[in-house]
Amino acid sequence: MMQVYNSLSRSKEPFTPLTPDAVRLYTCGPTVYNFAHIGNFRAYTFEDLLRRALLFNGYRVMQVMNLTDVDDKTIRGARQAGVPLKTFTAPFIQAFFEDLATLNIQRAEVYPAATDHLPEMLELIGKLMERGLAYRSDDGSVYFSVSAWPAYGKLAHLDRSALRAGARVSHDEYEKESYGDFALWKGWDEQDGEVAWDSPWGRGRPGWHIECSAMAMRYLGETFDLHTGGIDNLFPHHENEIAQAEGATGKPFVACWMHCAHLRVNGEKMSKSLGNFFTLRDLLSRGWTGREIRYVLLNGHYRQPLNFTFEALDAARVSLARVDECVDALAAAAGGSAPSDALPDWAAAARTAFTEAVNDDLNLPEALAALFALVRESNTAMRDAALAPQSAAAVLSLFDRMDMVLGVIRFGRADRDGEMPPEVAERVRARAEARAARDWHAADRLRDELASLGWEVRDAKEGQKVKRNGAMTRSTAVTAS
RNA sequence: GGUGCGAUGGCCGAGUGGUUAGGCAGAGGUCUGCAAAACCUCGUACAGCGGUUCAAUUCCGCUUCGCACCUCCA
């Protein structure tokens, strides 16, 4: 049984799907006006983790992630580039999917774009108008009336006086009736240029929050299981989504809301507005891999702020090499045997610890501790030659089972079995002869030469083991770049 | 001002009213021709001050510091 933290109740709750067919999950997606930074990807990695944990528990999943392709920033970007909106957003959408693949983030079932769902939004706004929860202002905009919806604030736990009291100086560009009201529909403005649709309330474009409510209900129904996003979306975005959806349907919108904390750099939030962010592409160009970045993102609990450092990436690289060594050794020990039915006791214990950690509100640090317990025990058993091939195969399958959630064991490993170039093969052969002749000076010299060619050689009982010197070495890339 | 969250050993980062988190880095050791890998051992970690308790890093209060949200933000 999974337990997850519900932002609505502010407590951990047992997770039970509303319907047996599939867990319905809505995950707030990117605004496609730029390359996403790794702070953004912390959220998407968290959502991927949630998805994988659900699958790990045997649930089927119906996940929707929106693409916000119309808002102030996309419109501004398109204007500055002098191209139509879709032309501007298309490459960022493509880049987003490439980045997801780089991080081994599983694809959602549906990626609806806001601009493809105007009818759903207009219908939703219409219902809110009918119910007296929205009003049209003189400038052709439509606003949600917070004062007409008493439940407003139940997610953020804000009351209306708080809404007004502290707020920053408001930039009242629109004619709202009261301060907390938010736009469902924005009347056409000169800045919008060609970006406009017809509506019963005049030409304009959707407000900031309506797309998620409309598209979530379009694909997941009026009430569904899980809705996630970064903590900064909790208010106002998610609060407004609830108001829009529940205001229109009179039914509960989402059973459980989950939010992940921010990624920090030097103790501060990594964000576009602060300009202190790295895109995934920045890190790749510095020599890090998506696999290593994924590991770093997995190594903290999603509800805790995570301080991003290059040292953490360094540690990730070495830690993953440790896992790789173990998996390779297990594969060799298994020798293609069919896995035995029973796991060794220590592996069964690791499996239990791993499962309990994942199901305890996605406690990945604990889950990784279980992974490393499995690594250590596997290495010990192999050192003592106490692991039968069938047992090694069974343990190996446990690694794969864990990898359903982690997505970091098999994924993105450097190719270490590539063809050995002639100059490498020649030195390996020469070194074997030198060792046989106990000519250690020659053997050491050849090992150094191989290292400079990018190949690592290790002497084992069975003879020399040669591997390409890829991701397994300690990083020098950071300091060099 | 309002609302939350946090402060753990050199770094990252879990957790717990009394028993090893884990990874990385460091020290020592075993194995090895040497090295690597692997395994073993080690470091008097829980911001400060009070309180509750047989016992607190863990509960309560206060203080200090930090972060976030309060209509751009994952």
Side-chain angles (χ1 to χ4, degrees), chain A residues 167-172 179:
Chain A
R168 305 166 187 162
V169 178
S170 90
H171 303 284
D172 266 330
Y179 183 70

Side-chain angles (χ1 to χ4, degrees), chain A residues 120-246:
Chain A
E120 287 87 347
M121 298 182 212
L122 294 176
E123 184 186 341
L124 185 55
I125 297 169
K127 281 185 189 165
L128 292 169
M129 289 290 276
E130 283 170 25
R131 288 181 166 236
L133 295 171
Y135 59 90
R136 184 181 185 279
S137 69
D138 294 341
D139 65 359
S141 294
V142 178
Y143 292 95
F144 186 95
S145 176
V146 167
S147 58
W149 178 248
Y152 192 83
K154 71 175 177 180
L155 178 64
H157 298 86
L158 293 173
D159 60 30
R160 285 193 210 94
S161 57
L163 265 185
R164 201 176 316 171
R168 305 166 187 162
V169 178
S170 90
H171 303 284
D172 266 330
E173 302 170 42
Y174 303 96
E175 299 165 26
K176 302 190 257 191
E177 285 178 0
S178 89
Y179 183 70
D181 293 353
F182 56 93
L184 300 168
W185 186 257
K186 295 181 140 190
W188 185 83
D189 180 277
E190 200 175 336
Q191 298 287 318
D192 295 340
E194 300 295 307
V195 182
W197 291 264
D198 287 321
S199 85
W201 312 282
R203 273 181 83 70
R205 61 182 171 97
W208 297 306
H209 311 290
I210 195 71
E211 62 166 286
C212 281
S213 297
M215 296 195 292
M217 289 194 284
R218 158 75 174 77
Y219 292 100
L220 299 174
E222 294 179 339
T223 301
F224 57 93
D225 297 285
L226 292 161
H227 192 137
T228 68
I231 188 70
D232 52 342
N233 276 161
L234 191 143
F235 189 86
H237 183 55
H238 291 162
E239 189 70 57
N240 292 355
E241 278 193 59
I242 292 173
Q244 292 164 341
E246 298 190 356

Side-chain angles (χ1 to χ4, degrees), chain A residues 337-474:
Chain A
S337 300
S340 58
D341 291 336
L343 283 168
D345 289 347
W346 45 266
R351 181 179 59 189
T352 300
F354 181 87
T355 303
E356 287 178 352
V358 168
N359 287 346
D360 181 17
D361 195 30
L362 309 176
N363 190 335
L364 262 286
E366 286 282 4
L368 288 171
L371 172 73
F372 282 101
L374 187 63
V375 167
R376 188 183 340 100
E377 297 289 353
S378 297
N379 285 332
T380 299
M382 287 187 284
R383 179 199 61 189
D384 298 342
L387 199 60
Q390 298 87 339
S391 295
V395 173
L396 204 52
S397 71
L398 176 55
F399 273 91
D400 285 326
R401 167 100 180 129
M402 290 178 170
D403 206 28
M404 279 180 69
V405 176
L406 303 175
V408 85
I409 297 175
R410 298 289 190 181
F411 169 75
R413 289 191 51 176
D415 175 19
R416 293 147 78 191
D417 303 321
E419 280 293 298
M420 216 182 278
E423 69 272 21
V424 172
E426 171 54 33
R427 282 175 174 79
V428 171
R429 188 165 52 246
R431 187 164 181 276
E433 288 171 10
R435 293 192 73 226
R438 306 184 69 80
D439 181 354
W440 307 126
H441 285 297
D444 290 350
R445 179 176 48 77
L446 286 162
R447 182 167 56 202
D448 289 344
E449 289 179 14
L450 284 164
S452 66
L453 289 167
W455 291 72
E456 183 186 17
V457 59
R458 290 181 191 164
D459 299 321
K461 284 199 175 70
E462 317 84 75
Q464 300 183 86
K465 288 185 177 176
V466 186
K467 289 177 176 177
R468 199 192 292 276
N469 212 355
M472 63 191 294
T473 54
R474 290 284 297 289

